């Protein structure tokens, strides 16, 4: 148990100086294992368990004399076991609270007695006997055994021991010792596994560096360090030396290091870097782990700070150490093949040392070092991924983003976004097929890593000559570790290097994987920073790179979080529409164009849209919208149409006068630009004023013209969408008719993708609101394809189709065709659709269908189960569905037979239940339905019984004339039942009814008056009855 | 400076600024003053002697201190390109004309200037050997490679592949000009000899 207690257990000193086992998870685990071992020993090795300890284990127990029963001599203050050793001493002795135990069997019995407190007992026992092994076996025995080879058999060990100390039960002693050691190892491994599950430690880099530094100690006169050693030779199987509980904190090992000129340094090497501790000299110390210095990147950096002698001499050592360097470098190469942390390559670290200027002053660090700097502390945190070795060995690339480090954020992204993050990675399987470009690029990356400014620029230029859009080239750069160099170049002060790097990055980031790696390595932050550069070329390139990288939302978020949106918006400021531009102004325009491209990519995220708006981007975009250049207009309109999903933008687009420019560009000869303009109008034309503006600026005709480009489906979808939304205004529909838009639109009902169909049918629905158009639709043969679309599955499309069918069905001739095509049944079956929108839209469409169908009652009855379906939909929780179904019920109830069926299905209580609503739209149709349902049997009194009358009376006070009207009608019907009259009277219906009698609407007047009459008649009848009886 | 001297400098500035495109009169004037300040400093190799112009050492100092150049060979070449009459000293005119290109030159002027700097022996071509010479210290030696110069040789080949359009194994001015026009980054292909575009000392 020795190793276990020193290496795994977490000890703390309490105030009295005693060692305590802290109540940590790890310690709990350890205690349980020890307990388990003691119990098992008794069962599996009963003989060994009786072995008498050299010295008793002594601790203070919570057990009392009374706990001991059979097998013990119990007196008031003393308990002794019956079992005695050869000299007659009891194996267990309790003198509360002190207990001493001399064999495992007694220990196990005692733990059994402790029952619920076993763990506490074990804890006390271990705390009281830190030198457990020495106590049990005797110090000399232990030290002897430790020297011996554990693997030799018991017999030969026995012979050796007997030579030293003749004793009878040596065999048992050895066996117990070996058992204990075996268990010790087992538990340690278990604990280690437990630890490695929680933290990932990578000791390789530390080991390499320590090895390298050790060599520096050994060189007599020239030595740079006096000595260097680990505090412990015991190495866990994961390669760390730190005790397990410290490993949980990310610590790898401890070294004691004596420089030539200062005191001995006690250093902790951890995942986060190295730092001085309070002085850990050897294994198993309880204190001294505390950090007393800042954290350095590596040992060399720490040493340079602590030992001036080291700092001065390491440079000369550098020259002589080429050989070592080679071995270390080799080491790193091998390592790189596996999945390891991306560690600073020692070679580069050492190169940094050769810089004559100070290392800490950032500005004075050498160019090459800066280029490689990110590989140190930074990338350690950012991403963990494997790189193939410089020899081009292919290995799987696994990117593990540091999820924990990111603040979790809720995203609300635009629906149009193509999410690419989850895409599986494509990998080239073997390297034999790789083309020569691959190897050429790999070589260039090597020069890139080791070159000064001049060589770097030259290499970058050579790299640009490759086809960087090709995956082989992209992967070659990635595999050779070129991405980190390219990204690190962005943080240097070298303008030319930055330009070159960006010229490559902007191209290779058309590859999704590369984009992600760039973001993982923090490259995007650097690009965002460059947006502040005074060099215009740089700004433009940086913006273009952002445009290409920000194709997934984590990247877009990164741009925003580092203030990129503001900077990009700033780029937009230029004078875009001068006839003649100076060179300078031309550059500004190019910068603005790239800025717009970047914003376009970024605007896929809702939060970024908001950020652009807040940064004052809208007026700037509006200004750029006046640019005469297509390549400027496309990103600008693209951004605007993307952002137009937000209401704030729609308002701004309208108020800033951008509709005019959008309309103008509808007539551009660039399909993409036309598409974005149409799409922007599509989104903005939800608003009436915008629709009017489109008409005012004569945008309707170009929209119709765009329908001619039927081969470009994206464009067609945008154009039809714009037409749909614009046709919500009746004036626009009239205008559209001048250009024969309807005829063209009906032609688009067949053979189009769903995106187009949704809009086409939507437009048809709007056009059909005007009765003349209904005939046109029929004459152009639009009804049949429309009904055909009822069998589709796209819910957005179905909503529009049902609406259009409903609108067409208001025309008797159209209805005949619909009926003939079995359209009513199709619409009816859509009531079963899972979407509430489709349900309500279908229900609304049913109303005109039933109203206008010949022999409607018969038709409805012929639909098996149809009426039951309708009644059941009243149970829906969606108000729009409820309202639409009420409307259908009202329509169906006009047929007495069907009303009877509805009543049988229990429509009355369901309607009555809905009466408590405060939604006026529902109230209107509900009252209508109630009014119509009164026409059958005892339904009037049923409504009364279901307490539907009182809520209806309240509807009279609603400030909606439609509600008032249908309520008055319903009340009039209900008032034919005397009990309902009483309720109405009691609830004060008379006064509002009398007011309604003064309405301009004759039906309303009539209904209100009829109702009042019924109430009055009842009152009179009552009075007469009282008078004459 | 005495009133007379100031007058002299002003007329001189007026004269020179007419010949030099990129500096205004006041700028020229300041540069002339700067020139005289430099003259007053003792010469590095001939202390005590009156210098006829700015010598190589002083000029190199400026390049190093103000423009962060480090490569001695390139700095000497820059001096040579400034020193049109090859007398080892920069006269006022050479100083201002040189700086005009150095600081404000158009792309064409800078191409001409850079080519002059890189053409070490002045024969009108940048040869393989010259390139090798200039790129010699541009790569960190790869300890794993047998021939330590292999990387440099490779870089020279890369440069030639990129820029030697007539495939004669050396760069003529036309080669260089064409390559730089295609890719501006190649302007300083063989070593930094121009101020960074952000540096604007005047």
């Amino acid at each position: 148990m020795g190793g276990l207690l020193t290496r795994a257990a977490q000890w703390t000193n309490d105030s009295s100086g005693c060692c305590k086992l802290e109540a940590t998870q790890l310690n709990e685990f350890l205690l349980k294992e020890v307990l388990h071992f003691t119990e098992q020993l008794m069962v599996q090795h009963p003989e060994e368990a009786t072995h008498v300890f050299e010295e008793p284990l002594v601790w203070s127990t919570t057990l009392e004399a009374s706990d001991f029963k059979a097998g013990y001599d119990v007196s008031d203050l003393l308990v002794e076991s019956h079992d005695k050793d050869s000299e007659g001493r009891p194996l267990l002795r309790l003198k509360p609270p002190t207990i001493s135990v001399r064999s495992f069997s007694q220990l196990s019995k005692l733990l059994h007695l402790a029952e619920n407190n076993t763990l506490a007992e074990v804890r006390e026992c271990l705390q009281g006997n830190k030198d457990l092994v020495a106590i049990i076996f005797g110090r000399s025995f232990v030290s002897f055994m430790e020297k011996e080879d554990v693997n030799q058999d018991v017999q030969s060990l026995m012979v050796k021991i007997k030579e030293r100390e003749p004793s009878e039960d040596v065999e048992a002693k050895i066996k117990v010792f070996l058992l204990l050691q075996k268990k010790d190892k087992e538990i340690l491994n278990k604990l280690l596994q437990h630890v490695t599950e929680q933290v990932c430690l990578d000791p390789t880099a530390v080991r390499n560096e320590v090895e390298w530094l050790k060599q520096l100690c050994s060189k007599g006169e020239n030595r740079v360090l006096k000595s260097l050693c680990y505090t412990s030779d015991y190495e866990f199987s994961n390669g760390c030396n730190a005790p397990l509980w410290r490993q949980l904190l990310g610590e790898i090992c401890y070294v004691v290091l004596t420089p030539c000129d200062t005191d001995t340094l006690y250093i902790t090497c951890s995942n986060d870097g190295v730092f001085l501790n309070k002085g850990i000299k050897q294994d198993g110390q309880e204190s001294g782990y505390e950090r007393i210095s800042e954290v350095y990147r590596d040992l060399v950096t720490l040493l340079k700070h602590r030992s001036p002698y080291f700092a001065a001499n390491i440079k000369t050592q550098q020259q002589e150490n080429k050989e070592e360097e080679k071995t270390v470098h080799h080491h790193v190469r091998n390592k790189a093949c596996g999945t390891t942390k991306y560690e600073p390559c020692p070679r580069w670290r050492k190169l940094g040392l050769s810089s004559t200027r100070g290392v800490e002053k950032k500005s004075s660090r050498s160019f090459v070092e800066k280029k490689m700097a990110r590989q140190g502390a930074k990338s350690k945190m950012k991403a963990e991924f494997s790189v193939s070795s410089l020899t081009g060995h292919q290995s799987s690339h696994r990117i593990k983003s540091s999820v924990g480090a990111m603040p979790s954020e809720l995203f609300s992204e635009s629906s149009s976004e193509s999410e690419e993050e989850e895409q599986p990675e494509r990998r080239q399987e073997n390297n034999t097929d790789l083309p020569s470009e691959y190897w050429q690029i790999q070589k260039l990356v090597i020069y890139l890593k080791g070159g000064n400014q001049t060589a770097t620029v030259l290499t970058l230029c050579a790299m640009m000559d490759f086809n960087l859009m090709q995956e082989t080239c992209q992967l070659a750069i990635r595999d050779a570790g070129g991405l980190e160099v390219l990204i690190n170049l962005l943080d240097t002060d070298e303008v030319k290097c930055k330009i070159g790097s960006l010229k490559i990055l902007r191209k290779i980031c058309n590859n999704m994987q590369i984009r992600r790696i760039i973001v993982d390595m923090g490259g995007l932050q650097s690009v965002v920073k460059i947006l502040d550069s005074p060099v215009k070329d740089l700004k433009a390139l940086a913006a273009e790179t952002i445009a290409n990288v920000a194709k997934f939302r984590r990247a877009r978020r990164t741009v925003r979080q580092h203030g990129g949106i503001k900077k990009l918006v700033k780029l937009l400021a230029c004078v875009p529409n001068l006839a003649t531009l100076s060179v300078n102004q031309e550059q500004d325009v190019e910068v603005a164009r790239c800025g717009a491209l970047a914003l376009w990519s970024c605007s896929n995220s809702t939060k970024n849209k908001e950020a652009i708006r807040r940064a004052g981007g809208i007026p700037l975009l509006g200004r750029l919208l006046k640019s005469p250049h297509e390549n400027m207009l496309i990103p600008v309109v693209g951004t605007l149409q993307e952002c137009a999903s937000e209401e704030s933008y729609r308002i701004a687009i309208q108020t800033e006068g951008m509709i005019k420019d959008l309309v103008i560009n509808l007539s551009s000869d660039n399909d993409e630009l036309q598409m974005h303009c149409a799409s922007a109008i599509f989104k903005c034309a939800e608003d009436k004023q915008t629709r009017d503006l489109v008409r005012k600026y004569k945008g309707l005709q170009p929209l119709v013209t765009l329908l001619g480009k039927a081969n470009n489906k994206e464009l067609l979808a945008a154009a039809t969408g714009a037409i749909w939304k614009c046709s919500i205004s009746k004036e626009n529909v009239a205008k559209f008719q001048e250009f024969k838009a309807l005829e063209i639109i009906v032609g688009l009902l067949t053979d189009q993708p769903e995106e187009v169909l949704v809009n086409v049918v939507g437009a048809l629905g709007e056009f059909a609101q005007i009765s003349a158009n209904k005939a046109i639709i029929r004459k152009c043969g639009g009804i049949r394809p429309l009904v055909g679309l009822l069998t589709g599955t796209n819910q957005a499309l179905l909503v529009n189709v049902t609406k259009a069918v409903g609108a067409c069905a208001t025309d008797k001739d159209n209805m005949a065709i619909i009926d003939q095509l079995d359209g009513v049944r199709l619409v009816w079956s859509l009531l079963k659709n899972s979407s509430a929108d489709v349900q309500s839209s279908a229900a609304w469409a049913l109303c005109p269908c039933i109203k206008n169908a010949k022999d409607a009652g018969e038709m409805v009855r012929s639909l098996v189960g149809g009426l039951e379906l309708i009644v059941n939909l009243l149970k829906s929780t969606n108000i729009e569905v409820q309202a639409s179904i009420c409307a259908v019920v009202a329509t169906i109830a006009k047929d007495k037979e069907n009303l009877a069926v509805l009543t049988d299905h229990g429509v009355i209580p369901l309607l009555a239940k809905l009466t408590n609503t405060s939604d006026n739209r529902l109230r209107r149709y509900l009252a209508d339905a109630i009014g119509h349902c009164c026409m059958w049997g005892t339904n009037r009194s049923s409504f009364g019984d279901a307490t539907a009358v009182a809520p209806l009376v309240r509807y009279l006070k609603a400030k909606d004339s439609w509600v008032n009207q249908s309520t008055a009608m319903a009340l009039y019907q209900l008032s034919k039942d005397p009990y309902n009259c009483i309720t109405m009277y009691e609830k004060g219906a008379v006064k509002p009814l009398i007011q309604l009698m003064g309405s301009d609407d004759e039906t309303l007047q009539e209904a209100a008056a009829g109702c009042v009459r019924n109430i009055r008649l009842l009152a009179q009848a009552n009075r007469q009855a009282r008078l004459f009886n | 400076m005495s009133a007379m001297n100031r007058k002299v400098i002003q007329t001189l500035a007026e004269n020179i600024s007419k010949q030099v495109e990129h500096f205004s009169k006041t700028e020229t004037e300041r540069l002339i003053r700067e020139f005289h300040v430099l003259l007053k400093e003792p010469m590095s190799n001939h202390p005590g002697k009156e210098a006829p112009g700015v010598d190589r050492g002083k000029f190199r100092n400026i390049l190093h201190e103000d423009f962060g150049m480090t490569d001695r060979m390139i700095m000497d070449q820059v001096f040579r390109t400034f020193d049109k009459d090859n007398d080892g000293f920069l006269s006022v005119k050479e100083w201002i004309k040189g700086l005009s290109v150095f600081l404000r030159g158009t792309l064409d002027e800078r191409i001409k200037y850079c080519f002059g700097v890189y053409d070490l022996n002045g024969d009108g071509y940048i040869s393989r050997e010259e390139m090798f010479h200039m790129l010699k210290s541009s790569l960190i030696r790869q300890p794993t490679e047998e021939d330590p110069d292999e990387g440099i040789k490779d870089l020279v080949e890369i440069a030639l592949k990129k820029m030697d359009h007539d495939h004669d194994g050396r760069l003529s001015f036309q080669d260089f000009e064409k390559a730089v026009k295609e890719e501006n980054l190649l302007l300083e292909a063989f070593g930094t000899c121009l101020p960074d575009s952000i540096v604007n000392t005047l």
Side-chain angles (χ1 to χ4, degrees), chain A residues 138-151:
Chain A
R139 223 165 268 287
S140 60
F141 177 81
V142 173
S143 55
F144 169 76
M145 287 299 279
E146 271 167 3
K147 276 179 227 140
E148 290 298 324
D149 179 9
V150 193
N151 293 326

Side-chain angles (χ1 to χ4, degrees), chain A residues 57 337 415 516 557 574 639 645 726:
Chain A
L57 298 172
C337 300
S415 52
R516 298 188 50 183
R557 186 183 52 193
C574 71
T639 311
S645 59
C726 285

Side-chain angles (χ1 to χ4, degrees), chain A residues 50 142 158 201 255 308 342 511 548 592 621 749 933:
Chain A
T50 57
V142 173
M158 230 168 79
L201 296 170
V255 289
Y342 205 72
N511 180 312
N548 292 343
L621 286 168
L749 274 174
C933 285

Side-chain angles (χ1 to χ4, degrees), chain A residues 151 310 314 335 433 504 512 620 637 686 764 899 952 970:
Chain A
N151 293 326
F310 178 86
I314 188 70
K335 202 185 79 179
D433 305 337
I504 290 169
M512 186 262 291
L620 288 170
V637 181
E686 292 273 3
L764 272 186
L899 175 55
L952 274 179

Side-chain angles (χ1 to χ4, degrees), chain A residues 325-326 351 443-444 446-447 450-452 454-455 457-459 461-462 464-465 493 495-496 499-500 503 534-535, chain B residues 135 137-144 150-151 154-155 158-159 161-162 183 185-186 188-192 196-198:
Chain A
E325 189 180 302
K326 214 180 241 175
L351 282 171
K443 201 157 123 196
L444 287 179
I446 294 175
Y447 296 145
N452 70 356
T454 308
V457 171
L458 206 53
T459 314
C461 288
M464 282 174 220
D465 284 348
D493 300 327
V495 174
K496 284 184 300 260
I499 291 180
K503 278 187 173 174
V535 183
Chain B
L135 294 174
S137 53
S138 71
L139 271 189
I140 306 296
R141 299 290 152 108
Q142 305 287 318
T144 45
E150 200 188 294
D154 222 30
L155 273 184
I158 287 171
K161 191 177 157 208
K162 192 121 191 123
E183 177 53 70
L185 288 180
L186 289 172
E188 292 174 81
F190 304 109
T192 311
D196 235 331
S197 37
I198 333 171

